[in-house]
């Protein structure tokens, strides 16, 4: 696409976005003190940019609206119970998938999908046993692939969201 982005650390928590010429184009501030950004993703149409990390919330920016940060009407939207690592948009720009590590007792580790636009929860996986650190969407939007803390790679069907195969 048009941009390259990198997440910030706890020193400033800001995300830097460079253009195709490798010039710093934007510095995005999630306004989340002490934020460490673990995951970032652009939507296929490049309208949406998502970043998330240690503060357990997904931050969304609307690139086509001056890179303004989006604030969902529902304050519970775009949250997990633990640091967020994996992020990916489906190729049709209908949903954003996210994953987390568990900090609660018992751990509430899940893959969640959010409806693009209103950012409401579309669906979520059952509770998982291991932290999910990586997510990727296939080109057709029919599958997700996750990588977890036990070195397990799992293939997920997206309609409905459920695991179909895994390997270590």
């Amino acid at each position: 696409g048009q941009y390259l982005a990198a997440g910030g650390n706890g020193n400033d928590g800001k995300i830097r976005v460079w253009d195709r010429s490798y010039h710093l184009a934007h510095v995005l501030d999630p306004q989340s003190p002490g934020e460490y950004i673990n995951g970032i993703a652009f939507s296929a149409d490049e309208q949406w940019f998502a970043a998330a990390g240690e503060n357990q919330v997904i931050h969304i920016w609307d690139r086509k609206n001056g890179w303004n940060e989006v604030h969902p009407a529902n304050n519970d939207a775009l949250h997990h119970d633990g640091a967020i690592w994996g992020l990916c948009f489906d190729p049709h720009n209908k949903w954003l998938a996210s994953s987390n590590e568990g900090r609660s007792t018992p751990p509430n580790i899940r893959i969640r999908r959010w409806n693009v636009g209103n950012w409401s929860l579309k669906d979520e996986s059952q509770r998982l046993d291991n932290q999910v650190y990586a997510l990727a969407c296939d080109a057709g939007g029919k599958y997700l692939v996750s990588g977890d803390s036990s070195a397990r790679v799992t293939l997920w069907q997206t309609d409905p969201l459920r695991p179909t195969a895994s390997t270590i």
Side-chain angles (χ1 to χ4, degrees), residues 7-16 28-40 51-61 69 78-79 82-85 87 103:
N9 60 29
N11 292 331
D12 73 2
K14 294 178 182 175
I15 298 108
R16 283 150 179 88
L28 306 175
D29 188 352
Q31 301 291 315
S32 193
E35 178 72 285
Y36 281 79
I37 300 297
N38 299 327
I40 57 176
E54 296 297 314
N55 287 348
Q56 306 175 21
V57 63
I58 302 167
H59 307 280
I60 305 289
W61 285 270
E69 189 169 2
L78 302 173
H79 282 81
I84 300 169
W85 285 84
L87 290 174
R103 292 215 178 127

Side-chain angles (χ1 to χ4, degrees), residues 68-80:
N68 287 324
E69 189 169 2
V70 173
H71 299 285
N74 180 349
N75 288 337
D76 293 330
L78 302 173
H79 282 81
H80 272 276

Side-chain angles (χ1 to χ4, degrees), residues 131-155:
Q131 278 44 300
V132 178
Y133 289 120
L135 285 178
C137 300
D138 82 312
K142 294 182 181 184
Y143 297 97
L144 281 172
V145 178
S146 65
D148 69 26
S149 59
S150 69
R152 180 173 302 281
V153 175
T154 303
L155 180 67

Side-chain angles (χ1 to χ4, degrees), residues 70-101:
V70 173
H71 299 285
N74 180 349
N75 288 337
D76 293 330
L78 302 173
H79 282 81
H80 272 276
D81 299 329
I84 300 169
W85 285 84
L87 290 174
C88 70
F89 283 93
D90 86 290
H92 307 292
N93 303 308
K94 293 183 180 174
W95 47 263
L96 167 68
S98 59
S99 65
N100 68 303
E101 63 181 38

Side-chain angles (χ1 to χ4, degrees), residues 109-122:
I109 302 165
R110 297 180 188 266
I111 294 173
R112 292 185 170 153
R113 291 192 305 159
W114 309 92
N115 292 303
V116 169
N118 69 10
W119 309 107
S120 62
L121 183 64
K122 177 180 178 60

